[in-house]
Amino acid sequence: EDEFPGVDVEGGLSRPVLAASGHLYFGLQDEGARVDCVMFAARARALKFDPKDGAQVRLRGDVTLYPPSGRYQIVVDRMEPSGEGERERRVRLLRAKLAAEGLFEPTRKRPIPLLPRRIGLVTSPTGAALRDFLRVVFRRFPRARVVLAPARVQGDGAAAEIAEALARVAARPEIDVVVVGRGGGSIEDLAAFDEEVAARAVFASPVPVVSAVGHEIDVSICDDVADLRAATPSEAAEQTAPLLSALEDSLADRAARLRTAVRRAA
C-alpha cells in the first residue's frame, strides 16, 4: 500500500455490482489479468456514466490489501470511459465552440505594457505560484506593485472563483496587466483553466492577460484565449516586470545621445 499510491489502470469492467450501501464493486480485466476494485458510495454517486459490464474504462485509485480474503484490490477515486475520456471530449467541444466565436484569434492579442503601474495577480494565496511570481518580479524590478486577487485554482467552483477574481482586479483603474495561473499539477488539478467561465473572463478583461498555468505539455483553453502564454508563473513575472538595470542603461544611453545632439546643435 505504501509502494503503490495513486495508480492509473485501464481495462474492461467485469460484473459491476452496486451494493445497497451505494458502494460499487467490480473487476477490472484485460486478456491476461484481473484485479478486484471498489468505489465507495460518495465517489460512485459522482460517476457521469453508467458502468456496464464489458465497458472499457480508465481509473485512478490506491492499491490495498483486503485482509479477510488476503486479496489485493484497488480503491477507486476516479473512473471514466477510456479512449477519449469525458473530460477530453468536453474540452475538445468547448475549444471548437470558442474558436468559432473568435476567442483565439491572434489579431485580437494585446501587447503587454513595458512598465505597468500595477500588476494584477489571480492565484491561490497559499500556493507556490504566488511566492515564485513575487520573487522574480521584485528581483527584476524592486519598485513593482502587485495587487493579489485570491482565488482557488483547483477543485469544484475554482473556475468561477478565478473568473470573479479576474473581473474584479482587471476593473481597477490602476491595473495595466493581469497574470492568472498556478503551479504545475495533474490534468485534474488544472481543469479549472479549461472551463468556459474562466476562458470568457480572460477574453472579457479590459486589460491584457498573461496565462501562467504551470504545465509545459498541455496548453489550457485559458492559455489560448490570453494575450500571452507563459509556461510558469516565474516566466510570467519575467514577461510583466521590466529589468530595472536594463531600463537604467537604456535611459543613460539616451541621455548621452541627447546631450551629444544638443552640443552639436549649439
Side-chain angles (χ1 to χ4, degrees):
E1 293 183 0
D2 293 335
E3 294 294 329
F4 296 99
V7 297
D8 294 286
V9 190
E10 189 167 332
L13 284 177
S14 174
R15 299 181 180 179
V17 174
L18 185 63
S21 61
H23 303 332
L24 179 65
Y25 297 92
F26 58 93
L28 192 72
Q29 64 183 28
D30 59 17
E31 294 179 357
R34 183 185 188 281
V35 63
D36 291 327
C37 302
V38 57
M39 194 172 204
F40 293 127
R43 301 288 188 181
R45 284 195 297 269
L47 284 175
K48 294 179 170 50
F49 72 102
D50 185 13
K52 294 184 177 180
D53 189 45
Q56 292 293 309
V57 299
R58 180 172 58 232
L59 59 81
R60 171 171 290 186
D62 297 323
V63 177
T64 64
L65 183 66
Y66 184 59
S69 62
R71 298 173 66 182
Y72 288 104
Q73 67 177 8
I74 298 177
V75 177
V76 180
D77 290 327
R78 292 185 294 276
M79 183 166 63
E80 63 182 13
S82 62
E84 183 185 40
E86 178 62 21
R87 179 186 176 277
E88 288 85 353
R89 186 185 71 84
R90 291 199 308 268
V91 170
R92 177 175 56 82
L93 292 176
L94 177 58
R95 191 181 295 276
K97 173 185 174 182
L98 299 182
E101 294 181 24
L103 270 67
F104 304 150
E105 281 297 319
T107 54
R108 56 158 293 272
K109 306 289 186 180
R110 297 164 292 189
I112 306 305
L114 173 64
L115 190 60
R117 292 170 297 171
R118 297 285 190 279
I119 301 170
L121 177 62
V122 178
T123 194
S124 168
T126 60
L130 174 61
R131 297 190 298 272
D132 292 344
F133 183 84
L134 294 178
R135 174 177 53 80
V136 176
V137 162
F138 293 127
R139 185 192 71 211
R140 290 175 60 84
F141 194 75
R143 303 171 191 174
R145 297 293 181 267
V146 178
V147 178
L148 175 65
R152 288 187 301 130
V153 292
Q154 69 182 67
D156 293 341
E161 284 194 24
I162 292 168
E164 191 277 332
L166 175 55
R168 184 175 68 252
V169 73
R172 296 178 58 157
E174 74 275 19
I175 298 294
D176 289 330
V177 62
V178 175
V179 174
V180 56
R182 55 159 292 153
S186 67
I187 292 177
E188 291 81 6
D189 292 339
L190 307 179
F193 297 91
D194 282 323
E195 294 287 337
E196 183 171 3
V197 64
R200 291 198 181 278
V202 172
F203 180 75
S205 171
V207 298
V209 175
V210 179
S211 179
V213 182
H215 201 279
E216 291 282 358
I217 299 174
D218 296 316
V219 177
S220 72
I221 290 179
C222 282
D223 287 336
D224 283 338
V225 178
D227 297 282
L228 180 67
R229 181 201 177 218
T232 64
S234 295
E235 184 177 301
E238 294 178 354
Q239 298 286 353
T240 54
L243 188 59
L244 181 59
S245 60
L247 286 176
E248 291 173 339
D249 289 345
S250 177
L251 288 173
D253 177 66
R254 293 182 183 216
R257 290 163 58 187
L258 182 59
R259 286 193 295 268
T260 299
V262 169
R263 284 197 301 268
R264 287 176 179 174

